[in-house]
Amino acid sequence: MTLTLTVTDEVRALAPGFTHLAVEAHGLVNGPSNEASSALLDAAARRLAERLDGRAPHEDPHIAAWREAYTAFGSKPSRTRNSAEALAKRALTEAGLPRINLLVDLYNAISVAHLVPVGGEDLDRVKGAMRLVRATGDELFATAAAGEDAMEHPDAGEVVWCDEEGVTCRRWNWRQGVRTRLTEESVNAVFLLESMAPMTLGELEAAGAELAESLEKLSPGARITVHPPAPRRA
């Protein structure tokens, strides 16, 4: 399928400083977390600590901008944190970052090291084009509750990623759905790196390039395409 990503005018009006970069990959090799992926996560946590230099993640200007965007669509950013802030907080604890699988560990490491939200979707499970929209509240979101599959609806006005079947990620990048998440069987994926001003396009592109390089090391035969970010709204 041809990868199509669309951001609606409603979302652009809500956050003019928003843009995203997509890394598309086919022929990946995934598997359980191992020493190499664990080392990437540990190194990312050290890079984060150096960047913050004693500050809390929400004091970083990029995370502060994400908090403003969450507030703009009615979400409480201290309760439903964007994915980069949530991971950063975990990285700074004694428990450290979770180990999920090779691909998720890899993109989580990029997220923490660059303090940028990153998500990964299984392209074989995505139905049609992906769109970043403000929800009506009628959309379906496949999730899990108490270990069981469950369906819920986003709040009206909430910013969500969706495809033709339903919501793939709630509250912009807060919670990913189970339907399209990357599993150990995933071989084709799209990774979304999302940024707000004051993060520069160059900084976003550097994070995307590091992700692409890591994917090539993990899966030498994979076909990887970096789709550059769209210019921000003036």
Side-chain angles (χ1 to χ4, degrees), residues 22 88-89 104 107 110 152 165 169 192:
K89 284 180 68 66
V104 176
Y107 78 69
I110 297 297
E152 61 184 37
E165 190 166 313
C169 196
L192 294 175

Side-chain angles (χ1 to χ4, degrees), residues 61-80:
H62 188 220
I63 298 302
W66 272 107
R67 284 192 162 215
E68 290 177 7
Y70 269 50
T71 300
F73 69 79
S75 183
K76 294 182 178 179
S78 59
R79 188 167 64 184
T80 54

Side-chain angles (χ1 to χ4, degrees), residues 32-45:
S33 301
N34 58 22
E35 290 185 7
S37 69
S38 185
L40 283 175
L41 291 168
D42 289 341

Side-chain angles (χ1 to χ4, degrees), residues 203-221:
E203 289 169 332
L204 179 61
E205 289 169 334
E210 186 175 338
L211 175 58
E213 182 180 354
S214 296
L215 290 170
E216 289 170 352
K217 290 179 180 178
L218 175 65
S219 306

Side-chain angles (χ1 to χ4, degrees), residues 57-221:
H58 69 264
E59 295 177 283
D60 182 90
H62 188 220
I63 298 302
W66 272 107
R67 284 192 162 215
E68 290 177 7
Y70 269 50
T71 300
F73 69 79
S75 183
K76 294 182 178 179
S78 59
R79 188 167 64 184
T80 54
R81 295 180 176 89
N82 72 83
S83 64
E85 182 181 352
L87 277 175
K89 284 180 68 66
R90 293 191 67 170
L92 297 174
T93 65
E94 286 189 11
L97 291 163
R99 274 58 172 166
I100 309 297
N101 60 54
L102 294 177
L103 289 175
V104 176
D105 290 354
L106 193 156
Y107 78 69
N108 279 349
I110 297 297
S111 176
V112 168
H114 293 267
L115 210 51
V116 60
V118 184
E121 306 286 353
D122 188 323
L123 280 174
D124 295 320
R125 295 179 179 272
V126 172
K127 305 300 182 184
M130 294 182 64
R131 296 172 295 123
L132 187 65
V133 305
R134 299 199 70 176
T136 64
D138 296 326
E139 299 89 348
L140 291 174
F141 177 68
T143 186
E148 300 291 333
D149 290 342
M151 282 288 182
E152 61 184 37
H153 299 277
D155 299 327
E158 181 183 323
V159 177
V160 297
W161 279 102
C162 62
D163 63 6
E164 292 178 3
E165 190 166 313
V167 173
T168 58
C169 196
R170 284 198 58 188
R171 293 195 174 99
W172 221 313
N173 47 48
W174 166 66
R175 178 180 292 170
Q176 185 179 32
V178 298
R179 174 170 58 89
T180 58
R181 66 186 175 185
L182 296 177
T183 68
E184 292 179 19
E185 289 71 43
S186 299
V187 293
N188 303 311
V190 58
F191 301 88
L192 294 175
L193 292 78
E194 302 180 281
S195 76
M196 295 281 178
M199 186 179 199
T200 68
L201 295 183
E203 289 169 332
L204 179 61
E205 289 169 334
E210 186 175 338
L211 175 58
E213 182 180 354
S214 296
L215 290 170
E216 289 170 352
K217 290 179 180 178
L218 175 65
S219 306

